[in-house]
Amino acid sequence: MARIVVQEAPFDTAAEIARLTAGRTDIGGIGLFLGVVRDTAGGRPIVAMTLEHYPGMTERALGAIAAEAETRWPLLGCTVIHRVGRLMPGDPIVLVATASAHRQAALDACAFLIDWLKTKAPFWKREEFRDGSSAWVAARAEDDAAAARWLTPRRAAAE
Amino acid sequence: MARIVVQEAPFDTAAEIARLTAGRTDIGGIGLFLGVVRDTAGGRPIVAMTLEHYPGMTERALGAIAAEAETRWPLLGCTVIHRVGRLMPGDPIVLVATASAHRQAALDACAFLIDWLKTKAPFWKREEFRDGSSAWVAARAEDDAAAARWLTPRRAAAE
Amino acid sequence: MKILYFAWLREKAGTAAEEVEPPAGVRTVADLIAWLSARSPGHAAAFADLATVRCAVNQDFAGPETPIAPGDEVAFFPPVTGG
Amino acid sequence: MKILYFAWLREKAGTAAEEVEPPAGVRTVADLIAWLSARSPGHAAAFADLATVRCAVNQDFAGPETPIAPGDEVAFFPPVTGG
């Protein structure tokens, strides 16, 4: 059962790892991805980024993505935390963590989760520029391509 | 310049992430792998694992692996910490963390580093079983295969 | 029927949420978009380029042919950009 | 020349490190293995199955044909199993 959280507050990566592994000794590897707000967008400096989401559907979509990962890989734990609201460059924005007996499953599931999250979870980013203007971020074709490569699983789940 | 550490002591994952990102706002993603000692080996319960290494060559080999990753992906930071000595099930054994402007580079470099580390860094594991016996771990053909897939880069470095 | 708008569709439509009662002939998402577009210039602007509009019916992604019914929650938004 | 043994090669050879002065004809890693194997039954056992023996010369991975010279640090060990 995956842990899915959508929140404005920062998250505690170490606490999330501890929670994933608490009391277990069957985990051999943890894959983790931490997304961070960058200070530029398309070469333009940004001062802040605001994340809007669709309450209710967001948790549902993240849960479905995590459930899909759990059918594809033998996961012993899975955490997805996504922040919303106004964030600054350098702020962590998303955490994906996966635990498995073997590293390949953990790493592949982690990459899968962030790729699918980017194209299937209802979040929208608005970037604020130095001159006071702001703009909604356009979806990227690369993200669609990254998500699409999981439609035909490339490698077996187990190491 | 990668941060390479070989030590007996536990490491602090949160501190390592903080160190990787300290004072920068150009990082968009951090890929992280945490290896943990499992409580079974080939179906047999283990009570401890001792890691031997080749002081000097180990740091050199890890540095070469990290340098190779830095030529393949546009990394903004890279940390590899490997523990040696006697560890218990549940103990973290290895940390690989990579930072890049984009997630794909960070995730791919992280997977590359742990795959190559498993086949090119001079560490040897000895497992202790419940009955008091112990045995050196044999190298796994799967690890060689995982490392070999990086000999022909599959994807472009940049997103 | 509850209609939700997110991101720039919200800004263009001028509302985040509205309750509507479309006539009986409005049976699909495509029908609904055509009907909503006639409500105001803002609505028309929100739906002007359908290539950049995505839809969810009762919080599941939906396409133009997805059927809709009274009581449904229908959301319109741009392609997602989280992560 | 400094010879190092790790993991089960260390256990079989009965030593972690030794200083040796092989004769002039010992020019490669393969020559060295043959010469070291004659030093004791333990050494012979360590090198009995060369398919499971790896070597580094001056801390770089080496093969049977790698040349060796006085002053080198030559290490023998099983395939690595870290991570």
Side-chain angles (χ1 to χ4, degrees):
Chain A
M1 189 62 192
R3 169 165 156 79
I4 306 291
V5 183
V6 179
Q7 65 184 24
E8 294 204 8
F11 46 79
D12 180 337
T13 301
E16 293 302 332
I17 294 173
R19 186 172 181 143
L20 206 52
T21 55
R24 340 190 35 140
T25 50
D26 54 348
I27 291 171
I30 293 166
L32 192 142
F33 176 77
L34 197 61
V36 180
V37 178
R38 281 202 297 152
D39 55 10
T40 55
R44 270 180 93 184
I46 71 161
V47 294
M49 173 180 279
T50 300
L51 269 125
E52 182 170 329
H53 76 123
Y54 182 171
M57 182 175 170
T58 311
E59 293 80 357
R60 188 182 161 106
L62 293 178
I65 293 165
E68 176 67 26
E70 287 172 335
T71 67
R72 293 185 181 213
W73 293 279
L75 299 184
L76 299 171
C78 177
T79 298
V80 179
I81 303 181
H82 204 300
R83 292 176 71 188
V84 292
R86 193 159 182 269
L87 302 173
M88 303 295 159
D91 284 348
I93 181 171
V94 61
L95 167 79
V96 173
T98 50
S100 185
H102 297 288
R103 79 178 182 286
Q104 203 63 63
L107 287 169
D108 284 355
C110 181
F112 167 85
L113 282 164
I114 187 66
D115 280 350
W116 270 36
L117 183 158
K118 287 239 175 202
T119 59
K120 295 178 195 294
F123 293 99
W124 302 277
K125 288 174 181 158
R126 187 179 182 92
E127 291 165 336
E128 296 171 37
F129 301 101
R130 278 208 194 128
D131 60 7
S133 69
S134 69
W136 292 98
V137 175
R140 294 163 14 113
E142 294 92 334
D143 286 336
D144 287 336
R149 71 196 166 98
W150 297 103
L151 296 177
T152 309
R154 289 172 307 164
R155 285 202 301 276
E159 273 194 324
Chain B
M1 191 63 194
R3 171 166 154 77
I4 306 290
V5 184
V6 179
Q7 65 184 26
E8 293 203 8
F11 47 79
D12 180 337
T13 300
E16 293 302 331
I17 294 174
R19 187 172 181 142
L20 207 52
T21 56
R24 354 194 15 149
T25 51
D26 54 348
I27 291 171
I30 295 166
L32 192 143
F33 176 76
L34 196 61
V36 180
V37 178
R38 281 202 298 152
D39 56 8
T40 55
R44 269 180 94 185
I46 71 161
V47 295
M49 173 181 279
T50 299
L51 269 126
E52 182 171 328
H53 77 123
Y54 181 172
M57 181 173 172
T58 311
E59 293 79 358
R60 188 183 161 106
L62 293 178
I65 294 166
E68 175 67 26
E70 286 171 337
T71 67
R72 293 186 180 213
W73 292 278
L75 299 184
L76 300 171
C78 176
T79 300
V80 179
I81 303 180
H82 204 298
R83 292 176 71 190
V84 293
R86 193 159 182 269
L87 302 173
M88 303 294 157
D91 283 349
I93 179 171
V94 61
L95 167 80
V96 173
T98 52
S100 185
H102 297 287
R103 79 179 182 286
Q104 203 63 65
L107 288 169
D108 284 355
C110 181
F112 166 85
L113 282 165
I114 186 67
D115 280 351
W116 270 35
L117 184 158
K118 287 240 175 202
T119 59
K120 295 178 195 295
F123 293 100
W124 302 276
K125 288 174 182 158
R126 186 179 183 92
E127 291 164 337
E128 296 172 36
F129 301 101
R130 277 208 194 127
D131 61 7
S133 67
S134 69
W136 292 98
V137 174
R140 294 163 16 113
E142 295 92 335
D143 286 336
D144 288 335
R149 71 197 166 97
W150 297 103
L151 296 178
T152 308
R154 288 173 307 164
R155 283 201 301 277
E159 272 195 325
Chain C
M1 185 180 294
K2 186 176 187 182
I3 312 294
L4 303 176
Y5 301 92
F6 293 97
W8 57 256
L9 273 98
R10 172 176 50 72
E11 294 174 341
K12 291 199 177 181
T15 182
E18 56 189 349
E19 281 289 338
V20 299
E21 290 187 25
V26 174
R27 294 195 181 89
T28 66
V29 167
D31 294 342
L32 182 62
I33 289 173
W35 183 77
L36 288 169
S37 296
R39 281 171 74 85
S40 79
H43 285 77
F47 293 114
D49 178 9
L50 291 179
T52 60
V53 174
R54 298 292 179 271
C55 178
V57 174
N58 298 325
Q59 303 189 355
D60 280 324
F61 284 102
E65 302 309 317
T66 302
I68 53 167
D72 280 353
E73 176 177 297
V74 182
F76 295 101
F77 43 79
V80 303
T81 56
Chain D
M1 185 178 295
K2 186 176 186 183
I3 312 294
L4 302 175
Y5 302 93
F6 292 96
W8 56 257
L9 272 97
R10 172 175 50 73
E11 294 175 341
K12 291 197 177 183
T15 182
E18 55 188 350
E19 282 289 338
V20 299
E21 290 187 26
V26 173
R27 293 195 181 88
T28 66
V29 167
D31 294 343
L32 182 63
I33 289 173
W35 183 76
L36 289 168
S37 295
R39 281 171 72 85
S40 80
H43 285 79
F47 293 114
D49 178 10
L50 291 179
T52 61
V53 174
R54 299 293 180 270
C55 178
V57 174
N58 298 326
Q59 304 189 355
D60 279 324
F61 284 102
E65 302 309 315
T66 302
I68 52 167
D72 281 352
E73 176 177 298
V74 183
F76 294 101
F77 43 78
V80 304
T81 56

